[in-house]
Amino acid sequence: IRCADAAMYSAKQSGRGQYRFFDPSLNLTDINEFSLEQSLVAALSERQFILHYQPQIRLDSMQVSGYEALVRWEHPQFGLLYPDRFISLAERSGFIVALGWEVIRLALEELKGWSAQGRSSRLAVNVSAIQLRQADFSERLLSELAQRGIEAWQFELEITETVVLDDEGMAVEHLERLRVAGLNISLDDFGRGYAGFAHLHSMPLNTLKIDRALIAPLSNSYDDNPIVSSTITLAKRLGLTVVAEGVETRDQLVYLKLAGCDIAQGYHFSRPMSAEQLYQYAPFTRTAEPVCG
Ligand code: C2E
Ligand code: CA
Ligand code: CA
């Protein structure tokens, strides 16, 4: 049956109305992927998706400015699965729409819990371009916020350039509407794929996140890195808040602070944490270690 599954999966990947005989070269990842796709739907009703939270630190005050929510799947057999194992599959199969609403629901429930404890904060979720193709996306999101008494400033959407590249007219409208309502809109992974300068002007954004591939080479805080420093300058001239992601070392942090970056996120401060770990980390009241300039 596993061999037949793999053959069927391979046929499905080639489009509609295809058939395939099993061939040993159809490797295990095809089989795994097929069974993963099958269990994604069950995982949703079994509530196996959870969020981890990674703090973002303001470099002027070294205080936590908010958190990014990152989805994980608590798989009953395979353990904790990271998004690289299932997000692109969910995007290909369209399951990302249902998963996206589950992530939003989990994030809003967490925010509500924080507020009840007097620890209001801002929480960002990652949103895939496919989610923004739903005609009722912005309306439904605003009503989900209102139902829980969550204020717009507490919620942020992280989007990527693909939103604009494959926009059929709806995505930018949703984002504009949400930004007017007071939500923060952040452009993720800037500098990873296409050069996005052309879109920066036309997108309704508040924040630019510099991809960790650009941050990783920053090793010595005294050497200039013209790409990173000019990206920061450009973003600030466009009136955007700048977040550096994947900050792993103190040298990177010092460089970014001197270059005028507003916020940093990465293992240097903290790995993404479960809700329980976050409660113990308690950065709501604690200040992170200051950086001298
Ligand atoms: P991303 O949005 O760029 O998220 C940041 C990723 O970098 C996270 O991986 C995080 O754990 C990792 N990271 C954070 N700090 C550091 C660091 O200092 N060094 C290094 N090397 N890595 C760091 P994660 O959680 O595995 O997420 C991977 C990607 O999956 C995310 O990349 C995002 O594109 C996607 N993703 C996560 N959650 C969701 C979701 O709810 N919906 C959608 N559509 N995509 C999601
Ligand atoms: Ca992100
Ligand atoms: Ca990113």
Side-chain angles (χ1 to χ4, degrees):
I1 287 171
R2 279 162 69 87
C3 294
D5 275 354
M8 181 164 79
Y9 185 74
S10 163
K12 279 176 68 180
Q13 277 194 318
S14 322
R16 286 174 165 274
Q18 303 286 317
Y19 70 91
R20 285 284 180 283
F21 290 104
F22 177 75
D23 168 332
S25 72
L26 296 175
N27 61 32
L28 198 70
T29 60
D30 290 329
I31 299 172
N32 279 341
E33 190 160 303
F34 179 69
S35 65
L36 281 177
E37 189 179 342
Q38 294 263 295
S39 43
L40 274 172
V41 180
L44 191 64
S45 55
E46 306 275 316
R47 301 242 159 132
Q48 289 168 3
F49 294 105
I50 59 160
L51 298 182
H52 278 184
Y53 306 90
Q54 190 176 35
Q56 301 182 331
I57 311 293
R58 286 206 66 89
L59 296 185
D60 53 3
S61 60
M62 299 309 282
Q63 305 267 10
V64 172
S65 78
Y67 297 86
E68 177 177 1
L70 296 153
V71 69
R72 273 93 182 90
W73 177 5
E74 284 186 309
H75 195 286
Q77 287 149 297
F78 307 141
L80 197 66
L81 298 183
Y82 283 75
D84 59 327
R85 290 289 300 278
F86 58 90
I87 288 288
S88 63
L89 176 64
E91 285 179 331
R92 287 199 297 281
S93 67
F95 179 73
I96 193 72
V97 170
L99 177 59
W101 284 115
E102 174 69 355
V103 166
I104 289 169
R105 185 187 70 79
L106 290 167
L108 294 177
E109 289 299 323
E110 191 69 25
L111 272 174
K112 207 173 126 185
W114 293 353
S115 294
Q117 298 162 11
R119 310 164 122 197
S120 297
S121 193
R122 189 176 44 78
L123 186 57
V125 300
N126 293 281
V127 170
S128 140
I130 297 161
Q131 292 173 260
L132 288 164
R133 287 187 205 147
Q134 299 168 84
D136 65 344
F137 180 80
S138 46
E139 196 186 324
R140 177 164 167 196
L141 179 58
L142 291 173
S143 103
E144 302 257 350
L145 263 94
Q147 273 169 35
R148 295 175 178 84
I150 290 164
E151 291 174 45
W153 69 266
Q154 296 178 275
F155 206 63
E156 176 167 311
L157 298 182
E158 293 197 4
I159 55 158
T160 55
E161 282 162 339
T162 52
V163 163
V164 183
L165 293 176
D166 69 15
D167 187 26
E168 289 149 12
M170 209 127 61
V172 173
E173 248 172 68
H174 282 315
L175 296 174
E176 245 148 27
R177 182 161 175 215
L178 293 168
R179 198 175 62 144
V180 167
L183 273 78
N184 218 74
I185 310 290
S186 174
L187 181 64
D188 206 355
D189 303 335
F190 186 77
R192 180 185 292 183
Y194 317 90
F197 293 106
H199 303 298
L200 275 185
H201 219 54
S202 55
M203 287 174 86
L205 295 175
N206 309 87
T207 302
L208 186 87
K209 289 189 85 173
I210 304 180
D211 191 64
R212 63 174 177 274
L214 293 185
I215 304 302
L218 301 176
S219 52
N220 185 327
S221 42
Y222 303 102
D223 281 351
D224 188 28
N225 181 307
I227 304 215
V228 173
S229 56
S230 353
T231 302
I232 293 172
T233 308
L234 172 90
K236 305 219 73 161
R237 289 209 44 194
L238 290 168
L240 302 172
T241 299
V242 186
V243 180
E245 61 177 11
V247 176
E248 294 184 353
T249 69
R250 197 181 160 81
D251 276 346
Q252 291 169 345
L253 185 60
V254 172
Y255 180 88
L256 290 163
K257 193 173 156 76
L258 290 174
C261 179
D262 302 298
I263 294 172
Q265 176 183 353
Y267 296 167
H268 177 72
F269 296 107
S270 168
R271 291 189 175 246
M273 292 172 276
S274 67
E276 299 76 53
Q277 288 170 319
L278 183 65
Y279 192 79
Q280 276 154 29
Y281 173 80
F284 298 92
T285 49
R286 209 180 63 198
T287 310
E289 185 200 351
V291 171
C292 45

